[in-house]
Amino acid sequence: MVNLKVNLSGLELSNPIIPASGCFGFGKEFIQYYDINILGSFCTKGTTKEARFGNDTPRIAESSCGMLNSVGLQNPGILHVVRQVLKEISSYYSKPVIANISGFSIEEYEYCAKSLRGIDNIGLIEVNISCPNVHEGGMSFGTNADMAAKVTKAVVKVADKPVYIKLSPNVTDIVSIAKACEEAGAAGICAINTLLGMRIDIKNRKPVLANITGGLSGPAVFPVALRMVYQIYKAVKIPIIGIGGISSTDDVIEMMMAGATAVQIGSMNLIDPCICKTIIEDLPERLNRLKVKDINEIIGGAH
Ligand SMILES: Cc1cc2nc3c(=O)[nH]c(=O)nc-3n(C[C@H](O)[C@H](O)[C@H](O)COP(=O)(O)O)c2cc1C
C-alpha cells in the first residue's frame, strides 16, 4: 500500500489532489459524477466582501491546450457563503475545504478573513492576491512584494486558520513575492494563478473577450507553473500547493518533485469532470511502478 497522505500546516489530506478555485464551484455540481469525499480537499470559488456578477460576456475563450477566462470573480458575497453555502457544503462533503478569498482593498481581505472565523469545515484560507488594488491605481496586490506582504499580514492577524497566499505568475520575480509572504506570516504558498493573455476574432477584428484580456490556464501553462514552484521551493520553508496546467497523474508527480506538498487541478475539471477521481485512483499504481512507498518521499525530489 502506497501512502498518499500529506499534511498542509496541520491539515491532514488523504491524498494531495484538490480541485482549484473557480473550476469546481462549491462542489455541488460534481456530486452527480462521483463521491467528492475521495478528494484531499477542494477549493471554493473566490469570494469577495460584496456579491459580484462578474465581467460582461463573452468571458471564456479557447486556445491551443488551454483557455482564457475573464469571469471577474462572480460570487454571492462572503456573508452568503458563511451563512448558507458552507453549511450546505457540510451536507455533501465531510472534510474541511479550502476557502478562497479575494478583495479590492486590504480592508476587504480582512473583512472576508474575519467573516470566516469559527467555521469548522474550513481547513485553510487561500488568499487570491491577483486582484487590482482600487486604492493604489489598480495595480494587482500580487505584483508587488510590499503589497503582497501587507495583505498577508492583515489576513494572518485576523484569521483563525492557516493562511496560504495564492500568487500571480504575471511578475518578473515570483520568488521575491513568495519570500515576502513567508516573512509576513503566511503558512503556505499556492502557485500559480492564471497568466494574462488575449485572443482576437479575425472576422470582426475585435478582441474575443468583452474584457479584452483574460487569464490563461490549462495544460499550456504547466511548464511555467512547474518552473515557478521549483524556484519558490528553493527559497521558502513553508509548504507549496502547486497549481497550473495539471492534466495527468504524471503531472502531479512532476509538480510534487518540483516542490509541491499538494496540487490543485483547475481547467481540466471543465473538460473531464472526473479528472480528479481518475488521478486519485491511478496514483498508487503509478507510484508503485516508480518504487515510491510514501508520496511524501517525492516532495522536492527534483532538487
Ligand atoms: C473559469 C476559471 C475561474 C477561476 N476563478 C478563480 C477564483 O475565483 N479564484 C482564484 O484564486 N483562482 C481562480 N481561477 C484560477 C485557478 O484556480 C487556477 O489557479 C488556474 O486556472 C491555473 O490552474 P489550471 O491550469 O489547472 O486551470 C480560475 C480559473 C478559471 C479557469
Side-chain angles (χ1 to χ4, degrees):
M1 270 286 275
V2 180
N3 176 50
L4 293 185
K5 281 191 195 136
V6 294
N7 193 298
L8 292 172
S9 312
L11 177 70
E12 189 169 274
L13 307 187
S14 56
N15 63 69
I17 309 300
I18 305 165
S21 182
C23 303
F24 203 70
F26 293 104
K28 202 174 174 184
E29 292 79 4
F30 285 79
I31 58 182
Q32 61 182 308
Y33 297 111
Y34 64 98
D35 177 7
I36 65 169
N37 285 288
I38 64 166
L39 297 167
S41 181
F42 75 82
C43 239
T44 55
K45 171 65 192 167
T47 307
T48 50
K49 183 179 178 190
E50 311 292 346
R52 289 172 57 85
F53 285 112
N55 291 326
D56 289 344
T57 57
R59 52 189 195 178
I60 296 282
E62 295 200 23
S63 71
S64 303
C65 293
M67 62 177 280
L68 289 162
N69 92 82
S70 56
V71 170
L73 290 169
Q74 179 173 1
N75 78 90
I78 194 79
L79 292 182
H80 181 79
V81 168
V82 167
R83 290 176 188 151
Q84 205 163 312
V85 177
L86 284 159
K87 288 195 179 108
E88 204 188 345
I89 288 176
S90 62
S91 71
Y92 55 78
Y93 188 67
S94 60
K95 297 173 177 174
V97 297
I98 300 178
N100 181 298
I101 57 169
S102 284
F104 297 89
S105 65
I106 302 257
E107 294 69 37
E108 282 188 30
Y109 281 105
E110 262 173 355
Y111 182 90
C112 290
K114 261 191 205 162
S115 307
L116 295 174
R117 284 201 295 222
I119 300 175
D120 289 342
N121 63 333
I122 296 176
L124 303 175
I125 294 178
E126 181 179 73
V127 184
N128 172 12
I129 58 169
S130 302
C131 315
N133 179 348
V134 291
H135 295 321
E136 305 259 348
M139 192 176 67
S140 153
F141 286 101
T143 53
N144 175 286
D146 289 341
M147 209 80 87
K150 272 191 194 139
V151 178
T152 307
K153 244 186 215 142
V155 173
V156 167
K157 201 165 161 204
V158 297
D160 67 353
K161 301 285 168 9
V163 173
Y164 278 50
I165 307 295
K166 182 167 177 181
L167 303 186
S168 166
N170 302 311
V171 294
T172 317
D173 178 15
I174 199 162
V175 170
S176 62
I177 295 172
K179 276 162 95 172
C181 295
E182 180 181 42
E183 273 160 32
I189 297 290
C190 302
I192 55 173
N193 212 313
T194 55
L195 286 131
L196 197 62
M198 73 179 286
R199 304 260 8 217
I200 290 170
D201 181 332
I202 59 170
K203 284 199 201 95
N204 69 12
R205 303 183 184 201
K206 293 227 161 65
V208 173
L209 297 170
N211 193 52
I212 300 174
T213 61
L216 177 67
S217 60
V221 310
F222 180 70
V224 178
L226 192 74
R227 182 266 293 177
M228 289 184 162
V229 168
Y230 186 88
Q231 290 177 322
I232 296 167
Y233 182 82
K234 268 193 195 303
V236 303
K237 294 200 167 54
I238 50 179
I240 304 164
I241 301 181
I243 319 165
I246 294 172
S247 66
S248 69
T249 307
D250 282 8
D251 287 351
V252 171
I253 294 172
E254 251 188 89
M255 190 57 101
M256 292 184 74
M257 287 182 171
T261 298
V263 300
Q264 291 181 15
I265 300 174
S267 309
M268 280 304 290
N269 288 289
L270 309 181
I271 290 174
D272 172 8
C274 293
I275 184 75
C276 291
K277 176 180 189 274
T278 304
I279 291 177
I280 291 166
E281 287 170 355
D282 190 39
L283 258 177
E285 200 196 314
R286 189 71 186 106
L287 289 170
N288 231 338
R289 271 190 281 143
L290 294 168
K291 302 197 170 31
V292 175
K293 297 257 170 310
D294 181 341
I295 198 162
N296 291 279
E297 280 170 33
I298 67 167
I299 299 169
H303 290 260

